[in-house]
């Protein structure tokens, strides 16, 4: 389950940030140095905990340069492959090196935009990565009891998964713009819960949840309120909060 979660987070979080326009694939190579350093520290700690023998044998030092190299490896084929057209440009003696650099940069940017904006192209890319990483799962045999065998990612696959997972986390999810949204979201959820858990807060609930809370134990009542809030979409939570606290111009008489 942990392996499945790691692979899913690493690929689909990256796909989401491309789709939402937070970053392009080329943008992953132009982040602040602090982001690569933070990614390297996170991965190093996890690698030492999960692969102590391999880390010692390989004498692998995980730093920002390793993170960049793994990123390059992940996107090498789709962004940095040298086709006949690029080879022709490079060999064209009529062009100056700055001109060649400009054409190559424009080509890579076009490929980056295509990967970010073309859903079919993007899904093909992430699906191929998932398949490659699934092939990197290994069985760790227990010396005495086969039923206690475990599975894990091979060290190389582990590093690739962790880089992509943590680069999106540190570059986007931990960015100020999303942290403000997360902080505001927590405040809204807490405020809604605070209003509903009051002694007469049941009257603010729709009929079905109010019926569950009527005469119920305190534990069941709190659980029902949590279920009601958990079932809200972001838009409905903002709307409901606004109707409670007057932060929008929506009518307080709108039905549930």
């Amino acid at each position: 389950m942990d392996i499945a979660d790691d692979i899913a987070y690493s690929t689909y979080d990256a796909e989401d940030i491309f789709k939402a326009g937070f970053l392009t694939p080329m943008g992953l190579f132009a982040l602040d140095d602090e982001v690569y350093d933070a990614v390297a520290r996170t991965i190093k700690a996890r690698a030492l905990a999960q692969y102590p023998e391999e880390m010692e044998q390989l004498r692998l030092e995980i730093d920002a340069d390793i993170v960049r190299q793994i990123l390059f490896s992940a996107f090498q084929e789709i962004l940095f492959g040298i086709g006949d057209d690029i080879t022709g440009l490079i060999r064209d003696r009529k062009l100056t090196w700055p001109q060649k650099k400009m054409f190559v940069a424009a080509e890579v940017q076009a490929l980056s935009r295509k990967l970010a904006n073309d859903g079919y192209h993007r899904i093909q890319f992430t699906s191929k990565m998932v398949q490659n990483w699934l092939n990197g799962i290994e069985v760790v045999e227990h010396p005495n009891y086969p039923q206690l065998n475990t599975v894990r990612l091979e060290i190389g696959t582990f590093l690739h998964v962790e880089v992509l997972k943590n680069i999106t986390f540190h570059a986007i999810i931990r960015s100020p713009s999303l942290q403000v949204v997360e902080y505001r979201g927590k405040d809204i959820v807490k405020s809604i819960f605070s209003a509903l858990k009051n002694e007469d807060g049941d009257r603010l609930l729709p009929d079905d949840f109010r019926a569950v809370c009527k005469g119920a134990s305190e534990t069941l009542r709190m659980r029902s309120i949590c279920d009601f809030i958990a079932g809200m979409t972001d838009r409905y939570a903002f709307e409901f909060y606004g109707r409670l606290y007057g932060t929008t111009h929506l009518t307080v008489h709108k039905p549930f």
Side-chain angles (χ1 to χ4, degrees):
M1 183 62 74
D2 289 339
I3 292 174
D5 285 344
D6 285 342
I7 291 176
Y9 281 125
S10 62
T11 52
Y12 299 127
D13 280 356
E15 186 177 336
D16 286 344
I17 67 170
F18 296 155
K19 183 178 180 180
F22 289 114
L23 271 180
T24 63
M26 275 303 297
L28 294 175
F29 296 88
L31 300 170
D32 293 338
D33 290 340
E34 292 80 4
V35 174
Y36 300 111
D37 290 334
V39 171
R41 287 193 301 270
T42 301
I43 297 174
K44 183 176 181 179
R46 292 177 180 174
L48 288 171
Q50 299 182 38
Y51 301 86
E53 295 180 1
E54 289 80 357
M55 291 291 288
E56 184 176 351
Q57 292 173 358
L58 297 174
R59 296 183 179 179
L60 184 61
E61 183 61 34
I62 300 176
D63 55 18
D65 289 337
I66 290 292
V67 171
R68 291 187 178 93
Q69 290 174 23
I70 292 174
L71 272 178
F72 174 77
S73 175
F75 290 91
Q76 179 177 2
E77 182 179 345
I78 199 164
L79 291 183
F80 306 115
I82 303 298
D84 293 338
D85 51 347
I86 298 298
T87 302
L89 283 173
I90 294 174
R91 291 177 176 175
D92 192 342
R93 296 184 178 181
K94 296 178 182 179
L95 298 175
T96 64
W97 277 109
Q99 288 175 319
K100 294 177 181 179
K101 184 177 180 180
M102 180 269 293
F103 283 121
V104 171
E107 176 69 15
V108 174
Q109 286 288 358
L111 291 172
S112 178
R113 285 196 301 272
K114 181 179 180 181
L115 182 57
N117 299 328
D118 187 326
Y120 179 76
H121 195 56
R122 191 172 56 244
I123 291 173
Q124 274 193 320
F125 172 68
T126 54
S127 296
K128 186 175 181 179
M129 278 201 301
V130 168
Q131 184 58 57
N132 289 337
W133 291 341
L134 288 176
N135 292 334
I137 296 175
E138 64 180 2
V139 176
V140 181
E141 296 183 358
H142 192 277
N144 300 315
Y145 304 104
Q147 61 269 34
L148 297 180
N149 290 350
T150 59
V151 295
R152 67 178 184 179
L153 295 172
E154 297 173 352
I155 181 67
T157 304
F158 168 82
L159 294 176
H160 277 76
V161 170
E162 287 293 314
V163 164
L164 200 57
K165 181 177 69 174
N166 285 284
I167 203 79
T168 55
F169 177 78
H170 287 285
I172 301 300
I173 298 175
R174 296 294 297 175
S175 66
S177 58
L178 285 194
Q179 287 300 296
V180 168
V181 174
E182 180 179 339
Y183 182 87
R184 180 60 171 158
K186 288 181 179 179
D187 183 60
I188 288 173
V189 170
K190 289 178 180 179
S191 298
I192 293 175
F193 181 78
S194 178
L196 297 178
K197 75 179 180 66
N198 290 331
E199 185 176 350
D200 59 347
D202 298 355
R203 61 194 174 92
L204 304 174
L205 292 167
D207 293 341
D208 50 352
F209 281 92
R210 188 162 63 248
V212 173
C213 291
K214 185 177 181 180
S217 65
E218 186 67 8
T219 300
L220 179 58
R221 182 170 171 270
M222 293 297 106
R223 174 62 184 270
S224 299
I225 292 172
C226 289
D227 287 344
F228 173 61
I229 297 174
M232 294 180 175
T233 62
D234 290 349
R235 178 177 295 180
Y236 181 69
F238 276 108
E239 180 183 309
F240 192 80
Y241 174 84
R243 289 160 61 195
L244 290 177
Y245 294 99
T247 58
T248 68
H249 299 295
L250 293 172
T251 174
V252 295
H253 300 293
K254 182 175 180 180
F256 289 98

